[in-house]
């Protein structure tokens, strides 16, 4: 066990202060118990509810009056035998507490090898006074073999609870489950493995979606990323022929990954994993719908990153938030990461250009160095607000321009939205309506149909081509209201991007 070896080595080297940020308190205590017994040391655990208590001895009484942190630290002076003392959730007691910080430093600077102080918490900021003495330790994530062992243990537990009935599974599905459990701690992986077996005593392909949702909830403790539960499919997206044709061979890459149970770009040695696309276009032209459809086509979980949620008034916190989100996306691989209106987060012309520059640097580093199968889909309405560093070749596989729909695409959009509302398309003159909607975006065409239905309901009539024609005549699309900006965008994209349709 690498964790047992590494932690034992730190203690053997007389490290006096060890900080562990983890939610796996019980597992760490179990490892330390084995180390204490092997190295003939006493092991104490401190909590604010129970005080100091011997851990390697069952039913050991607590030290008197040791719930108070200062009293507990004072009690350590009476320990004459080399000890390992574990402080659980101690982080609130060192905030604005110089006496406690100093007392711990004095203990750590005492006789070498006398005591090892270990602090376990979900988050722990090491005081500046300790930095020369403290070592941070992190538990390793379980390997594939350990994940398979967890699944076998949970299957055996279920079988024992159900009179020896065997869990139904095949090796191919188990490989996919193991792949999707990567990035989780031992305890979290066990929770999910237990949950997918518990319901029906089987491990099936249908469990993968449940697994990904549960995994995301466990990992995303800050709520900065959003798991998009309803992805789309390109049957709901009109036009975009060139984009669809470009995506189809890339979908084979992820299909091959799922079939082989591999990730991290190992599906085929001579084939680089697809990086992603930038969808530039007019507002309401279907870029967001296309992002959802890409995840549906690839059959991957879709994560949406909202840059507005990242920003924090404290220096450095915004970049930290972004790093945590990108780390979460890496742990969720293979997946699709969707960043909507990316220019709002990476515009270096904003008032807080310092933060924007740091965010840009963090994001570009991730784009360049990532090896995980995270397909990035970024959408933008204003290319002029995006920094040149983001647009150079190699950042994205391709930049597609999603223009206003042509006549054939407008016919398809009208048909899709009529059928979506259970209206017979044969009752409408689709060609006539599409010609009247020249210059309208897909979102504007949908809103015309929605508005027509409200009018028909208010007048107690059925929706007709004539009613839709009236509404179209009264509507001024964005291409008219903001003609200058949209024409400038279309002119810029004409020879610099690939047409999506």
């Amino acid at each position: 066990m690498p964790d047992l070896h590494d932690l034992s080595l730190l203690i053997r080297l007389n490290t006096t202060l060890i900080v562990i940020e983890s939610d796996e308190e019980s597992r760490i205590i179990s490892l330390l118990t084995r180390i204490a017994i092997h190295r003939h040391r006493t092991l104490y655990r401190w909590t604010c509810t129970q005080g100091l208590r011997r851990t390697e001895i069952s039913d050991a009484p607590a030290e008197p009056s040791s719930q108070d942190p200062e009293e507990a630290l004072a009690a350590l002076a009476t320990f004459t035998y080399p000890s390992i003392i574990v402080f659980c959730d101690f982080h609130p007691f060192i905030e604005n507490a110089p006496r406690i910080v100093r007392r711990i430093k004095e203990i750590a600077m005492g006789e070498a090898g006398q005591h090892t102080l270990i602090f376990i918490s979900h988050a722990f900021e090491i005081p500046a006074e300790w930095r020369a003495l403290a070592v941070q330790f992190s538990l390793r994530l379980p390997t594939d073999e350990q994940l398979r062992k967890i699944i076998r243990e949970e299957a055996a537990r279920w079988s024992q609870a159900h009179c020896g009935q065997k869990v139904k599974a095949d090796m191919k599905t188990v490989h996919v489950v193991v792949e999707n459990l990567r990035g989780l701690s031992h305890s979290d992986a066990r929770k999910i493995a237990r949950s997918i077996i518990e319901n029906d005593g089987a491990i099936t392909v249908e469990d993968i979606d449940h697994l990904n949702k549960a995994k995301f909830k466990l990992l995303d403790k800050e709520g900065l990323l959003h798991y998009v539960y309803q992805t789309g499919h390109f049957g709901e997206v009109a036009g975009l022929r060139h984009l669809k044709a470009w995506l189809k061979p890339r979908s084979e890459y992820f299909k091959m990954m799922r079939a082989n149970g591999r990730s991290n770009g190992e599906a085929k040695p001579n084939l680089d994993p697809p990086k992603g696309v930038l969808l530039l276009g007019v507002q309401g032209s279907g870029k967001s719908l296309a992002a959802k459809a890409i995840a549906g086509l690839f059959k991957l979980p879709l994560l949406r990153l909202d840059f507005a949620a990242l920003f924090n008034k404290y220096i450095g916190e915004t970049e930290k938030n972004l790093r945590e989100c990108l780390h979460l996306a890496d742990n969720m691989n293979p997946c699709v990461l969707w960043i909507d209106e990316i220019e709002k987060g990476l515009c270096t012309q904003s008032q807080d250009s310092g933060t924007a520059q740091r965010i840009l640097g963090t994001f570009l580093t991730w784009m360049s160095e990532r090896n995980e199968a995270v397909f990035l889909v970024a959408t933008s309405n204003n290319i002029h607000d995006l920094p040149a560093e983001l647009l150079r070749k190699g950042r994205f596989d391709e930049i597609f321009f999603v223009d206003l729909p042509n006549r054939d695409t407008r016919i398809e959009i009208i048909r899709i939205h009529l059928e979506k509302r259970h209206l017979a398309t044969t009752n409408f003159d689709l060609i006539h309506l599409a010609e009247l909607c020249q210059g309208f975006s897909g979102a504007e065409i949908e809103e015309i149909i929605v508005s027509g239905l409200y009018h028909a309901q208010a007048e107690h009539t059925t929706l007709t081509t004539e009613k839709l024609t009236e509404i179209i005549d009264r509507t001024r699309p964005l291409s008219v209201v903001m003609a200058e900006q949209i024409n400038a965008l279309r002119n810029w994209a004409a020879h610099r991007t690939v047409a999506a349709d």
Side-chain angles (χ1 to χ4, degrees), residues 415-425 427-428 453:
R415 179 188 58 76
I416 287 172
H417 288 298
L418 288 174
E419 290 179 349
K420 186 177 179 180
R421 291 158 180 83
H422 308 291
L423 297 171
T425 56
N427 295 334
F428 298 87
L453 285 170

Side-chain angles (χ1 to χ4, degrees), residues 371-436:
N371 294 316
E372 288 75 9
V374 178
F375 188 85
L376 178 63
V377 179
T379 65
S380 175
N381 298 320
N382 192 347
I383 194 71
H384 302 294
D385 284 344
L386 288 174
E389 303 95 309
L390 186 69
L391 301 177
R392 75 162 177 80
K393 283 295 182 183
R395 301 297 189 194
F396 294 96
D397 291 322
E398 196 58 84
I399 300 176
F400 286 95
F401 181 67
V402 185
D403 202 350
L404 293 170
N406 57 33
R407 194 193 73 156
D408 291 341
T409 302
R410 294 196 298 272
I411 292 173
E412 191 177 352
I413 292 171
I414 296 169
R415 179 188 58 76
I416 287 172
H417 288 298
L418 288 174
E419 290 179 349
K420 186 177 179 180
R421 291 158 180 83
H422 308 291
L423 297 171
T425 56
T426 53
N427 295 334
F428 298 87
D429 188 344
L430 301 185
I431 296 176
H432 174 68
L433 291 173
E435 289 174 345
L436 291 177

Side-chain angles (χ1 to χ4, degrees), residues 221-434:
K221 295 178 175 61
E222 300 297 328
L224 299 173
L225 270 180
H226 304 280
Y227 191 105
V228 181
Y229 291 94
Q230 295 294 331
T231 58
H233 56 85
F234 275 110
E236 301 172 338
V237 183
L240 308 186
R241 293 168 299 142
H242 296 151
L243 174 61
K244 292 174 183 177
W246 186 90
L247 289 168
K248 187 174 180 181
R250 273 79 181 174
S251 69
E252 294 299 317
Y253 175 90
F254 295 105
K255 181 180 179 181
M256 184 164 45
M257 281 182 57
R258 289 190 298 273
N260 296 338
R262 300 175 183 174
S263 67
N264 298 328
E266 298 174 359
K268 193 175 180 180
N270 64 342
L271 193 62
D272 293 338
K275 294 179 180 179
V277 292
L278 173 62
L279 302 180
L280 170 68
V282 181
Q283 292 182 5
S285 55
K287 301 184 295 297
S288 297
L289 186 59
K292 295 180 180 180
I294 290 172
L297 175 66
F298 290 168
K299 294 181 173 57
L300 296 178
L302 176 62
L303 309 181
R304 181 172 65 84
L305 173 58
D306 181 4
F307 266 118
L310 295 176
F311 282 85
N312 191 293
K313 64 180 178 180
Y314 297 109
I315 294 176
E317 284 297 311
T318 301
E319 303 91 279
K320 178 183 175 184
N321 288 342
L322 177 59
R323 284 193 298 270
E324 289 177 351
C325 287
L326 297 176
H327 179 66
L328 171 55
D330 288 339
N331 280 335
M332 286 292 295
N333 86 92
C335 67
V336 174
L337 177 62
W338 167 31
I339 303 179
D340 201 17
E341 298 185 352
I342 191 173
E343 70 273 13
K344 292 185 177 179
L346 298 180
C347 178
T348 53
Q349 309 301 319
S350 62
Q351 292 180 347
D352 191 2
S353 59
T355 299
Q357 288 283 4
R358 293 193 296 272
I359 285 182
L360 176 62
T362 299
F363 189 64
L364 292 179
T365 299
W366 174 81
M367 291 181 73
S368 299
E369 296 181 355
R370 78 184 192 274
N371 294 316
E372 288 75 9
V374 178
F375 188 85
L376 178 63
V377 179
T379 65
S380 175
N381 298 320
N382 192 347
I383 194 71
H384 302 294
D385 284 344
L386 288 174
E389 303 95 309
L390 186 69
L391 301 177
R392 75 162 177 80
K393 283 295 182 183
R395 301 297 189 194
F396 294 96
D397 291 322
E398 196 58 84
I399 300 176
F400 286 95
F401 181 67
V402 185
D403 202 350
L404 293 170
N406 57 33
R407 194 193 73 156
D408 291 341
T409 302
R410 294 196 298 272
I411 292 173
E412 191 177 352
I413 292 171
I414 296 169
R415 179 188 58 76
I416 287 172
H417 288 298
L418 288 174
E419 290 179 349
K420 186 177 179 180
R421 291 158 180 83
H422 308 291
L423 297 171
T425 56
T426 53
N427 295 334
F428 298 87
D429 188 344
L430 301 185
I431 296 176
H432 174 68
L433 291 173

Side-chain angles (χ1 to χ4, degrees), residues 47 54 58 76 90 100 132 154 188 202 205 235 348 355 401 438 483:
T47 66
R54 284 281 295 270
S58 59
L76 299 187
F90 199 80
I100 292 179
E154 289 305 310
D188 286 344
V205 174
T348 53
T355 299
F401 181 67
Q438 183 174 358

